[in-house]
Coordinates of all heavy atoms in Angstrom, one line a residue:
M1 N 73.0 97.5 141.4 CA 74.0 96.4 141.2 C 73.7 95.7 139.9 O 74.6 95.4 139.1 CB 74.0 95.5 142.4 CG 74.8 94.3 142.3 SD 76.5 94.6 142.8 CE 77.2 93.0 142.8
R2 N 72.4 95.3 139.7 CA 72.0 94.6 138.4 C 72.3 95.5 137.2 O 72.7 95.0 136.2 CB 70.6 94.2 138.5 CG 70.3 93.0 139.3 CD 68.9 92.6 139.1 NE 68.5 91.5 140.0 CZ 68.5 90.3 139.7 NH1 68.7 89.9 138.4 NH2 68.2 89.3 140.6
G3 N 72.1 96.8 137.3 CA 72.3 97.7 136.2 C 73.8 97.7 135.8 O 74.1 97.7 134.6
N4 N 74.7 97.6 136.8 CA 76.1 97.6 136.5 C 76.5 96.3 135.8 O 77.3 96.4 134.8 CB 77.0 97.7 137.8 CG 76.9 99.1 138.4 OD1 76.5 100.1 137.8 ND2 77.2 99.2 139.7
I5 N 75.9 95.2 136.2 CA 76.2 93.9 135.6 C 75.7 93.9 134.1 O 76.4 93.5 133.2 CB 75.6 92.7 136.4 CG1 76.4 92.6 137.7 CG2 75.7 91.4 135.6 CD1 75.9 91.6 138.6
A6 N 74.5 94.4 134.0 CA 73.9 94.5 132.6 C 74.7 95.4 131.7 O 74.9 95.1 130.5 CB 72.4 95.0 132.7
Q7 N 75.2 96.5 132.3 CA 76.0 97.4 131.5 C 77.3 96.7 131.1 O 77.8 96.9 129.9 CB 76.3 98.7 132.3 CG 77.0 99.8 131.5 CD 77.1 101.0 132.3 OE1 76.9 101.1 133.5 NE2 77.5 102.1 131.6
L8 N 77.9 96.0 132.0 CA 79.2 95.3 131.7 C 79.0 94.3 130.6 O 79.8 94.1 129.8 CB 79.7 94.7 133.0 CG 80.6 95.5 133.9 CD1 80.9 94.8 135.2 CD2 81.8 96.0 133.2
M9 N 77.9 93.5 130.7 CA 77.5 92.5 129.7 C 77.4 93.1 128.4 O 77.8 92.6 127.4 CB 76.3 91.7 130.1 CG 76.5 90.9 131.4 SD 77.8 89.6 131.2 CE 77.0 88.5 130.1
Q10 N 76.7 94.3 128.3 CA 76.5 95.0 127.0 C 77.9 95.4 126.4 O 78.1 95.3 125.2 CB 75.6 96.2 127.2 CG 74.1 95.8 127.4 CD 73.3 97.0 127.6 OE1 73.8 98.1 128.0 NE2 72.0 96.9 127.4
Q11 N 78.8 96.0 127.3 CA 80.1 96.4 126.9 C 80.9 95.2 126.3 O 81.5 95.3 125.3 CB 80.8 97.0 128.0 CG 80.4 98.4 128.3 CD 81.2 99.0 129.5 OE1 81.6 98.3 130.4 NE2 81.4 100.3 129.5
A12 N 80.8 94.1 127.0 CA 81.5 92.9 126.6 C 81.0 92.4 125.3 O 81.8 91.9 124.4 CB 81.4 91.8 127.7
Q13 N 79.7 92.4 125.1 CA 79.1 92.0 123.8 C 79.5 92.9 122.7 O 79.9 92.4 121.6 CB 77.6 91.9 123.9 CG 76.9 91.4 122.6 CD 75.4 91.2 122.8 OE1 74.8 91.6 123.8 NE2 74.8 90.6 121.8
R14 N 79.5 94.2 122.9 CA 80.0 95.2 121.9 C 81.4 94.9 121.6 O 81.9 94.9 120.4 CB 79.8 96.6 122.4 CG 78.4 97.2 122.1 CD 78.4 98.7 122.3 NE 78.8 99.1 123.6 CZ 78.1 99.3 124.7 NH1 76.8 98.9 124.7 NH2 78.6 99.7 125.8
M15 N 82.3 94.7 122.6 CA 83.7 94.4 122.4 C 83.9 93.2 121.5 O 84.7 93.1 120.6 CB 84.4 94.3 123.7 CG 86.0 94.2 123.5 SD 86.9 94.2 125.0 CE 86.5 92.6 125.7
Q16 N 83.1 92.2 121.9 CA 83.2 90.9 121.1 C 82.9 91.1 119.7 O 83.5 90.6 118.8 CB 82.3 89.8 121.8 CG 82.5 88.4 121.1 CD 81.7 87.4 121.9 OE1 80.7 87.7 122.6 NE2 82.0 86.2 121.7
E17 N 81.8 91.9 119.4 CA 81.4 92.2 118.0 C 82.5 93.0 117.3 O 82.8 92.7 116.1 CB 80.1 92.9 118.0 CG 78.9 92.1 118.4 CD 77.6 92.9 118.8 OE1 77.7 94.2 118.7 OE2 76.6 92.3 119.1
N18 N 83.1 93.9 118.0 CA 84.2 94.7 117.4 C 85.4 93.9 117.1 O 86.0 94.0 116.1 CB 84.5 95.9 118.4 CG 83.5 96.9 118.5 OD1 82.6 97.0 117.7 ND2 83.6 97.7 119.5
L19 N 85.7 92.9 118.0 CA 86.8 92.0 117.8 C 86.6 91.2 116.6 O 87.5 91.0 115.7 CB 87.1 91.2 119.0 CG 87.8 91.9 120.1 CD1 87.7 91.0 121.4 CD2 89.2 92.2 119.8
K20 N 85.4 90.7 116.4 CA 85.0 89.8 115.3 C 85.2 90.6 114.0 O 85.8 90.1 113.0 CB 83.6 89.3 115.4 CG 83.3 88.3 114.3 CD 81.9 87.7 114.5 CE 81.7 86.7 113.3 NZ 80.4 86.3 113.1
R21 N 84.7 91.8 114.0 CA 84.8 92.7 112.8 C 86.3 93.0 112.5 O 86.7 92.9 111.3 CB 84.0 94.0 113.0 CG 83.9 94.8 111.8 CD 83.0 96.0 112.0 NE 82.7 96.2 113.3 CZ 81.6 96.3 114.1 NH1 80.8 96.4 113.8 NH2 81.4 96.4 115.3
A22 N 87.0 93.2 113.5 CA 88.5 93.5 113.3 C 89.2 92.3 112.7 O 90.0 92.4 111.8 CB 89.1 94.0 114.6
Q23 N 88.8 91.1 113.2 CA 89.4 89.9 112.7 C 89.1 89.7 111.2 O 89.9 89.3 110.4 CB 89.0 88.7 113.5 CG 89.6 88.7 114.9 CD 89.0 87.7 115.8 OE1 87.9 87.1 115.5 NE2 89.7 87.3 116.9
E24 N 87.8 90.0 110.8 CA 87.4 89.8 109.5 C 88.1 90.9 108.6 O 88.5 90.5 107.5 CB 85.9 90.0 109.3 CG 85.1 88.9 110.0 CD 83.6 89.2 110.1 OE1 83.2 90.4 109.9 OE2 82.9 88.4 110.6
E25 N 88.3 92.1 109.1 CA 89.1 93.1 108.3 C 90.5 92.6 108.2 O 91.1 92.8 107.1 CB 89.0 94.4 109.1 CG 87.7 95.0 109.0 CD 87.5 96.3 109.9 OE1 88.6 96.7 110.5 OE2 86.5 96.9 110.0
L26 N 91.1 92.1 109.2 CA 92.5 91.6 109.2 C 92.7 90.5 108.1 O 93.8 90.4 107.5 CB 93.0 91.1 110.6 CG 93.5 92.2 111.5 CD1 93.8 91.6 112.9 CD2 94.8 92.8 111.0
A27 N 91.7 89.7 108.0 CA 91.8 88.6 107.0 C 92.0 89.2 105.6 O 92.6 88.6 104.7 CB 90.6 87.7 107.0
Q28 N 91.5 90.4 105.3 CA 91.6 91.0 104.1 C 92.8 91.9 103.9 O 93.2 92.3 102.8 CB 90.3 91.9 103.8 CG 89.0 91.2 103.9 CD 89.0 90.0 103.0 OE1 89.3 90.0 101.8 NE2 88.6 88.8 103.5
V29 N 93.5 92.3 105.0 CA 94.7 93.1 104.9 C 95.8 92.4 104.4 O 96.1 91.2 104.7 CB 95.0 93.6 106.4 CG1 96.3 94.3 106.4 CG2 93.9 94.6 106.9
E30 N 96.7 93.1 103.6 CA 97.9 92.5 103.1 C 99.0 93.5 103.5 O 98.9 94.7 103.4 CB 97.9 92.3 101.6 CG 97.0 91.1 101.2 CD 97.2 90.8 99.7 OE1 97.8 91.6 98.9 OE2 96.7 89.8 99.3
V31 N 100.1 92.9 104.0 CA 101.3 93.7 104.3 C 102.5 93.2 103.5 O 102.5 92.0 103.1 CB 101.7 93.7 105.8 CG1 100.6 94.3 106.7 CG2 101.9 92.2 106.3
L32 N 103.4 94.1 103.2 CA 104.5 93.8 102.4 C 105.8 93.9 103.2 O 106.1 95.0 103.7 CB 104.6 94.7 101.1 CG 105.8 94.5 100.2 CD1 105.7 93.2 99.5 CD2 105.9 95.7 99.2
G33 N 106.5 92.8 103.3 CA 107.9 92.8 103.9 C 108.9 92.8 102.9 O 108.7 92.2 101.8
Q34 N 110.0 93.6 103.0 CA 111.1 93.6 102.0 C 112.5 93.5 102.7 O 112.6 93.8 103.9 CB 111.0 95.0 101.3 CG 109.8 95.3 100.6 CD 109.9 96.7 99.9 OE1 110.6 96.8 99.0 NE2 109.0 97.6 100.3
S35 N 113.4 93.1 101.9 CA 114.8 93.1 102.3 C 115.7 93.3 101.1 O 115.3 93.3 100.0 CB 115.1 91.8 103.0 OG 115.1 90.7 102.1
G36 N 116.9 93.7 101.4 CA 117.9 93.9 100.4 C 117.5 95.1 99.5 O 117.8 95.0 98.3
G37 N 116.9 96.1 100.0 CA 116.5 97.2 99.2 C 115.3 96.9 98.2 O 115.2 97.5 97.2
G38 N 114.6 95.8 98.6 CA 113.4 95.5 97.8 C 113.7 94.4 96.8 O 112.8 94.1 96.0
V39 N 114.9 93.7 96.9 CA 115.1 92.6 95.9 C 114.4 91.4 96.3 O 114.1 90.5 95.5 CB 116.6 92.3 95.8 CG1 117.3 93.4 95.1 CG2 117.3 91.9 97.1
V40 N 113.9 91.3 97.6 CA 113.1 90.2 98.0 C 111.9 90.8 98.7 O 112.0 91.7 99.6 CB 113.8 89.2 99.1 CG1 112.8 88.2 99.6 CG2 115.0 88.6 98.4
K41 N 110.7 90.4 98.3 CA 109.4 90.9 98.8 C 108.5 89.8 99.2 O 108.4 88.8 98.4 CB 108.7 91.8 97.8 CG 109.5 93.0 97.4 CD 108.9 93.8 96.3 CE 109.7 95.0 95.9 NZ 109.1 95.7 94.8
V42 N 107.9 89.9 100.4 CA 107.0 88.8 100.9 C 105.7 89.5 101.3 O 105.7 90.5 102.0 CB 107.6 88.1 102.1 CG1 106.6 87.2 102.7 CG2 108.9 87.3 101.8
T43 N 104.6 89.0 100.8 CA 103.3 89.6 101.1 C 102.6 88.6 102.0 O 102.5 87.4 101.6 CB 102.5 89.8 99.8 OG1 103.2 90.7 99.0 CG2 101.1 90.5 100.1
L44 N 102.1 89.1 103.1 CA 101.3 88.3 104.1 C 100.0 88.9 104.3 O 99.8 90.1 104.2 CB 102.0 88.2 105.5 CG 103.4 87.5 105.6 CD1 103.8 87.6 107.0 CD2 103.3 86.1 105.1
S45 N 99.0 88.0 104.6 CA 97.7 88.5 105.0 C 97.8 88.9 106.5 O 98.8 88.6 107.2 CB 96.6 87.5 104.8 OG 96.7 86.5 105.8
G46 N 96.8 89.6 107.0 CA 96.7 89.9 108.4 C 96.6 88.7 109.3 O 96.8 88.8 110.5
K47 N 96.3 87.6 108.7 CA 96.2 86.3 109.5 C 97.5 85.5 109.3 O 97.5 84.3 109.6 CB 95.0 85.5 109.0 CG 93.7 86.1 109.3 CD 92.5 85.3 108.8 CE 92.3 84.2 109.8 NZ 91.0 83.5 109.5
M48 N 98.6 86.1 108.8 CA 99.9 85.5 108.6 C 99.9 84.4 107.6 O 100.8 83.5 107.7 CB 100.4 85.0 110.0 CG 100.5 85.9 111.1 SD 101.7 87.2 110.8 CE 101.5 88.2 112.2
E49 N 99.1 84.5 106.6 CA 99.1 83.6 105.5 C 99.9 84.2 104.4 O 99.7 85.4 104.0 CB 97.7 83.3 105.0 CG 96.8 82.6 106.0 CD 95.3 82.6 105.6 OE1 94.9 83.5 104.8 OE2 94.6 81.7 106.1
C50 N 100.9 83.5 103.9 CA 101.8 84.0 102.8 C 101.0 84.1 101.5 O 100.4 83.1 101.1 CB 103.0 83.1 102.6 SG 104.2 83.7 101.5
R51 N 100.9 85.2 100.9 CA 100.2 85.4 99.7 C 101.1 85.4 98.5 O 100.8 84.9 97.4 CB 99.5 86.8 99.7 CG 98.4 86.9 100.8 CD 97.1 86.3 100.3 NE 96.1 86.1 101.4 CZ 95.2 87.0 101.7 NH1 95.2 88.2 101.1 NH2 94.3 86.8 102.7
S52 N 102.4 85.9 98.7 CA 103.3 85.9 97.5 C 104.7 86.1 98.0 O 105.0 86.7 99.1 CB 103.0 86.9 96.5 OG 103.2 88.2 97.0
V53 N 105.7 85.6 97.2 CA 107.1 85.9 97.4 C 107.7 86.3 96.1 O 107.5 85.6 95.1 CB 107.8 84.6 98.0 CG1 109.3 84.9 98.1 CG2 107.2 84.1 99.3
R54 N 108.4 87.4 96.1 CA 109.0 87.9 94.8 C 110.5 88.0 95.1 O 110.9 88.7 96.1 CB 108.5 89.3 94.4 CG 107.0 89.3 94.2 CD 106.6 88.8 92.8 NE 105.2 88.9 92.5 CZ 104.4 87.9 92.4 NH1 104.9 86.6 92.5 NH2 103.1 88.0 92.2
I55 N 111.3 87.4 94.2 CA 112.8 87.4 94.4 C 113.4 87.9 93.1 O 113.2 87.2 92.1 CB 113.3 86.0 94.8 CG1 112.6 85.5 96.1 CG2 114.8 86.1 95.0 CD1 112.9 84.1 96.5
D56 N 114.2 88.9 93.2 CA 114.9 89.4 92.0 C 115.9 88.3 91.6 O 116.6 87.7 92.5 CB 115.6 90.6 92.4 CG 116.3 91.3 91.2 OD1 117.3 90.7 90.7 OD2 115.8 92.3 90.7
P57 N 116.0 87.9 90.4 CA 116.9 86.8 89.9 C 118.3 87.0 90.3 O 119.1 86.1 90.5 CB 116.7 86.8 88.4 CG 115.3 87.4 88.2 CD 115.2 88.4 89.3
S58 N 118.8 88.3 90.5 CA 120.2 88.5 90.8 C 120.5 87.9 92.2 O 121.7 87.6 92.4 CB 120.4 90.0 90.8 OG 119.7 90.7 91.9
V59 N 119.5 87.7 93.0 CA 119.8 87.2 94.4 C 120.3 85.7 94.3 O 121.0 85.3 95.2 CB 118.5 87.3 95.2 CG1 118.6 86.6 96.5 CG2 118.1 88.8 95.4
F60 N 119.9 85.0 93.3 CA 120.2 83.6 93.2 C 121.7 83.3 92.9 O 122.1 82.1 93.1 CB 119.3 82.9 92.1 CG 117.9 82.9 92.5 CD1 116.9 83.6 91.7 CD2 117.4 82.3 93.6 CE1 115.6 83.6 92.0 CE2 116.1 82.2 94.0 CZ 115.2 82.9 93.2
A61 N 122.5 84.3 92.7 CA 123.9 84.1 92.5 C 124.6 83.7 93.7 O 125.6 83.0 93.7 CB 124.5 85.4 92.0
D62 N 124.0 84.0 94.9 CA 124.5 83.6 96.2 C 123.4 83.0 97.0 O 122.6 83.8 97.7 CB 125.1 84.9 96.9 CG 125.7 84.6 98.3 OD1 125.6 83.5 98.8 OD2 126.3 85.6 98.8
P63 N 123.3 81.7 97.0 CA 122.1 81.1 97.7 C 122.1 81.3 99.2 O 120.9 81.5 99.7 CB 122.4 79.6 97.4 CG 123.3 79.5 96.2 CD 124.1 80.8 96.3
E64 N 123.2 81.4 99.8 CA 123.1 81.7 101.3 C 122.6 83.1 101.5 O 121.7 83.3 102.4 CB 124.6 81.6 101.8 CG 124.6 81.0 103.2 CD 126.1 80.7 103.6 OE1 126.6 79.7 103.2 OE2 126.6 81.6 104.4
M65 N 123.0 84.1 100.7 CA 122.5 85.5 100.9 C 120.9 85.4 100.5 O 120.2 86.1 101.2 CB 123.2 86.4 99.9 CG 122.6 87.9 100.1 SD 123.4 89.0 99.0 CE 122.8 88.6 97.4
A66 N 120.5 84.7 99.5 CA 119.1 84.6 99.2 C 118.3 84.1 100.4 O 117.2 84.6 100.6 CB 118.9 83.7 97.9
E67 N 118.8 83.0 101.0 CA 118.1 82.5 102.2 C 118.0 83.5 103.3 O 116.9 83.7 103.9 CB 118.8 81.3 102.7 CG 118.8 80.1 101.8 CD 119.7 79.0 102.2 OE1 120.5 79.1 103.2 OE2 119.7 77.9 101.6
D68 N 119.0 84.3 103.5 CA 119.0 85.3 104.5 C 118.0 86.5 104.2 O 117.2 87.0 105.0 CB 120.4 86.0 104.7 CG 121.4 85.0 105.4 OD1 120.9 84.0 106.0 OD2 122.6 85.2 105.3
L69 N 118.0 86.8 102.9 CA 117.1 87.9 102.5 C 115.6 87.5 102.5 O 114.8 88.3 102.9 CB 117.5 88.3 101.0 CG 118.8 89.1 100.9 CD1 119.1 89.3 99.4 CD2 118.7 90.5 101.6
V70 N 115.3 86.2 102.2 CA 114.0 85.7 102.3 C 113.5 85.7 103.7 O 112.4 86.2 104.0 CB 113.8 84.3 101.6 CG1 112.5 83.7 102.0 CG2 114.0 84.4 100.2
A71 N 114.4 85.2 104.6 CA 114.1 85.2 106.1 C 113.8 86.7 106.6 O 112.9 86.9 107.3 CB 115.1 84.6 106.9
A72 N 114.7 87.6 106.2 CA 114.6 89.0 106.6 C 113.3 89.6 106.1 O 112.6 90.3 106.8 CB 115.7 89.8 106.2
A73 N 112.9 89.3 104.9 CA 111.7 89.9 104.3 C 110.4 89.3 105.0 O 109.5 90.0 105.2 CB 111.6 89.7 102.8
F74 N 110.5 88.0 105.2 CA 109.4 87.4 105.9 C 109.2 88.0 107.3 O 108.1 88.3 107.8 CB 109.6 85.9 106.0 CG 108.5 85.2 106.6 CD1 107.3 84.9 105.9 CD2 108.5 84.8 108.0 CE1 106.2 84.2 106.4 CE2 107.4 84.2 108.5 CZ 106.3 83.8 107.8
N75 N 110.3 88.1 108.1 CA 110.3 88.7 109.4 C 109.8 90.2 109.4 O 109.0 90.6 110.3 CB 111.6 88.6 110.1 CG 112.0 87.2 110.4 OD1 111.2 86.4 110.6 ND2 113.3 87.0 110.6
D76 N 110.1 90.9 108.3 CA 109.7 92.3 108.2 C 108.1 92.3 108.0 O 107.4 93.1 108.6 CB 110.4 92.9 107.0 CG 109.9 94.4 106.8 OD1 109.9 95.2 107.8 OD2 109.7 94.8 105.6
A77 N 107.6 91.3 107.1 CA 106.2 91.2 106.9 C 105.5 90.8 108.2 O 104.4 91.4 108.5 CB 105.9 90.3 105.8
V78 N 106.0 89.9 108.9 CA 105.3 89.4 110.2 C 105.3 90.6 111.2 O 104.2 90.8 111.8 CB 106.2 88.2 110.8 CG1 105.7 88.0 112.2 CG2 105.9 87.0 109.9
A79 N 106.4 91.4 111.3 CA 106.3 92.6 112.2 C 105.3 93.5 111.8 O 104.5 94.1 112.6 CB 107.7 93.2 112.2
K80 N 105.1 93.8 110.5 CA 104.1 94.7 110.0 C 102.7 94.2 110.2 O 101.8 94.9 110.6 CB 104.3 95.0 108.5 CG 105.6 95.9 108.3 CD 105.8 96.1 106.9 CE 107.0 97.0 106.6 NZ 107.3 97.1 105.2
A81 N 102.5 92.9 110.0 CA 101.2 92.2 110.2 C 100.8 92.3 111.7 O 99.7 92.5 112.1 CB 101.2 90.8 109.7
N82 N 101.8 92.0 112.6 CA 101.6 92.1 114.0 C 101.2 93.5 114.4 O 100.3 93.7 115.3 CB 102.8 91.6 114.8 CG 102.9 90.1 114.8 OD1 101.9 89.3 114.8 ND2 104.1 89.6 115.0
A83 N 101.9 94.5 113.9 CA 101.6 95.9 114.3 C 100.2 96.3 113.8 O 99.4 96.9 114.5 CB 102.6 96.8 113.6
E84 N 99.8 95.8 112.6 CA 98.4 96.1 112.1 C 97.4 95.4 113.0 O 96.4 96.0 113.3 CB 98.3 95.7 110.6 CG 97.0 96.1 110.0 CD 96.8 97.6 109.9 OE1 97.8 98.3 109.8 OE2 95.6 98.0 109.8
S85 N 97.6 94.2 113.3 CA 96.8 93.4 114.2 C 96.6 94.1 115.5 O 95.4 94.3 116.0 CB 97.3 92.0 114.4 OG 96.4 91.3 115.2
E86 N 97.7 94.5 116.1 CA 97.6 95.1 117.4 C 96.8 96.5 117.4 O 96.0 96.7 118.3 CB 99.1 95.4 117.9 CG 99.1 95.9 119.3 CD 100.5 96.1 119.9 OE1 101.3 95.1 119.6 OE2 100.8 97.0 120.5
K87 N 97.1 97.2 116.3 CA 96.4 98.5 116.1 C 94.9 98.3 116.0 O 94.1 98.9 116.7 CB 96.9 99.2 114.9 CG 96.2 100.5 114.6 CD 96.8 101.2 113.4 CE 96.0 100.8 112.2 NZ 96.5 101.5 110.9
R88 N 94.4 97.3 115.2 CA 93.0 97.0 115.0 C 92.4 96.4 116.3 O 91.2 96.7 116.6 CB 92.8 96.1 113.8 CG 93.1 96.9 112.5 CD 92.9 96.0 111.3 NE 93.4 96.7 110.1 CZ 92.6 97.1 109.2 NH1 91.3 96.9 109.3 NH2 93.1 97.8 108.1
M89 N 93.1 95.5 116.9 CA 92.5 94.9 118.1 C 92.4 95.9 119.3 O 91.4 95.9 120.0 CB 93.3 93.7 118.6 CG 93.2 92.5 117.6 SD 91.5 92.0 117.4 CE 91.7 90.9 116.0
S90 N 93.4 96.8 119.4 CA 93.3 97.8 120.4 C 92.1 98.7 120.1 O 91.4 99.1 121.0 CB 94.6 98.7 120.3 OG 94.5 99.7 121.3
A91 N 91.8 99.1 118.9 CA 90.7 99.9 118.6 C 89.4 99.1 118.8 O 88.4 99.7 119.3 CB 90.7 100.3 117.1
A92 N 89.4 97.8 118.6 CA 88.2 97.0 118.8 C 87.8 96.9 120.3 O 86.7 96.7 120.7 CB 88.4 95.6 118.2
T93 N 88.9 96.9 121.1 CA 88.6 96.8 122.6 C 88.4 98.1 123.2 O 88.2 98.2 124.4 CB 89.8 96.1 123.3 OG1 91.0 96.9 123.1 CG2 90.0 94.7 122.8
A94 N 88.3 99.2 122.4 CA 88.0 100.5 122.8 C 88.9 101.0 124.0 O 88.4 101.6 124.9 CB 86.5 100.6 123.2
G95 N 90.1 100.6 123.9 CA 91.1 101.0 124.9 C 91.0 100.3 126.2 O 91.8 100.6 127.1
M96 N 90.1 99.2 126.3 CA 90.1 98.5 127.5 C 91.4 97.7 127.7 O 91.8 97.1 126.7 CB 88.9 97.5 127.5 CG 87.6 98.1 127.7 SD 86.2 97.0 127.6 CE 86.6 96.0 129.1
P97 N 92.1 97.8 128.8 CA 93.4 97.1 128.9 C 93.2 95.6 128.9 O 92.5 95.1 129.8 CB 93.9 97.6 130.3 CG 92.7 98.1 131.0 CD 91.7 98.5 130.0
I98 N 93.8 94.9 128.0 CA 93.8 93.5 127.9 C 95.2 93.0 128.3 O 96.2 93.5 127.7 CB 93.5 93.0 126.5 CG1 92.1 93.6 126.0 CG2 93.5 91.5 126.5 CD1 90.9 93.2 126.8
P99 N 95.4 92.2 129.3 CA 96.7 91.8 129.8 C 97.5 91.2 128.6 O 97.0 90.5 127.8 CB 96.4 90.8 130.8 CG 95.0 91.1 131.3 CD 94.3 91.6 130.1
A100 N 98.8 91.5 128.6 CA 99.7 91.0 127.6 C 99.6 89.5 127.5 O 99.6 88.8 128.6 CB 101.1 91.5 127.8
G101 N 99.5 88.9 126.4 CA 99.5 87.5 126.2 C 98.1 86.9 126.4 O 97.9 85.7 126.1
M102 N 97.1 87.6 126.8 CA 95.8 87.1 127.0 C 95.1 86.9 125.6 O 95.1 87.8 124.8 CB 94.9 88.1 127.9 CG 93.5 87.5 128.1 SD 92.6 88.7 129.1 CE 91.0 87.9 129.0
K103 N 94.7 85.7 125.4 CA 94.0 85.4 124.1 C 92.5 85.5 124.3 O 91.9 84.7 125.1 CB 94.3 84.0 123.6 CG 95.8 83.9 123.3 CD 96.1 84.6 122.0 CE 97.5 84.4 121.5 NZ 97.9 85.2 120.4
L104 N 91.8 86.4 123.7 CA 90.4 86.5 123.8 C 89.8 85.4 122.9 O 90.4 85.1 121.9 CB 89.9 87.9 123.4 CG 90.4 89.0 124.4 CD1 89.9 90.3 123.8 CD2 89.8 88.8 125.8
P105 N 88.6 85.0 123.1 CA 88.0 84.0 122.2 C 88.0 84.5 120.8 O 87.6 85.6 120.5 CB 86.6 83.9 122.8 CG 86.6 84.3 124.1 CD 87.7 85.4 124.2
G106 N 88.4 83.6 119.9 CA 88.5 83.9 118.5 C 89.7 84.6 118.0 O 89.8 84.9 116.8
M107 N 90.6 85.0 118.9 CA 91.8 85.8 118.4 C 92.8 84.8 117.9 O 92.9 83.7 118.3 CB 92.4 86.6 119.5 CG 91.6 87.8 119.9 SD 92.3 88.8 121.1 CE 93.7 89.5 120.2
F108 N 93.6 85.2 116.9 CA 94.6 84.4 116.3 C 95.8 84.2 117.3 O 96.2 85.1 117.9 CB 95.2 84.9 115.0 CG 94.3 85.8 114.2 CD1 94.6 87.1 114.1 CD2 93.2 85.4 113.6 CE1 93.8 88.0 113.4 CE2 92.3 86.2 112.9 CZ 92.6 87.5 112.8

């Protein structure tokens, strides 16, 4: 019985170390979201921090369209950052099923 608990504790500690490493890696990752065929580009870090926004000057002719394109590019970048985060966190937990919505200590 004690051996099982010790083994579980070791697994939990390894998983926690893996999660921390994955979070550190995510902080360095950048994803690019685009819209309008690339006329608007948004770069986010893996921690959802906006790093840059590039807008082709032609977009400014229609302010409403520009707003829509910026929102779409941002949403595209967020989806890509979430997918990268999920991929890395899944690898860090070594396939251990973590219930949807469960926040482990230190997760964003």
Side-chain angles (χ1 to χ4, degrees):
M1 176 86 170
R2 281 188 187 259
N4 290 341
I5 292 173
Q7 186 178 11
L8 277 173
M9 293 300 288
Q10 287 176 342
Q11 284 178 327
Q13 185 175 6
R14 276 194 303 273
M15 185 175 74
Q16 187 175 20
E17 290 166 0
N18 290 342
L19 284 170
K20 184 177 182 196
R21 189 174 12 233
Q23 290 170 342
E24 290 168 355
E25 291 172 4
L26 274 172
Q28 303 304 314
V29 168
E30 287 189 349
V31 295
L32 177 67
Q34 301 183 63
S35 65
V39 295
V40 175
K41 298 176 182 178
V42 174
T43 302
L44 295 180
S45 75
K47 292 179 79 172
M48 303 296 178
E49 296 167 337
C50 187
R51 298 274 171 90
S52 70
V53 177
R54 302 277 184 250
I55 303 172
D56 186 286
S58 66
V59 173
F60 295 116
D62 183 349
E64 220 171 275
M65 181 181 71
E67 292 170 357
D68 291 343
L69 289 172
V70 169
F74 185 80
N75 289 337
D76 183 43
V78 166
K80 289 177 180 177
N82 281 334
E84 185 65 26
S85 177
E86 187 174 317
K87 180 176 92 174
R88 288 175 188 252
M89 290 302 166
S90 177
T93 60
M96 289 180 64
I98 305 296
M102 180 178 172
K103 296 286 185 188
L104 296 174
M107 288 185 71
F108 335 112

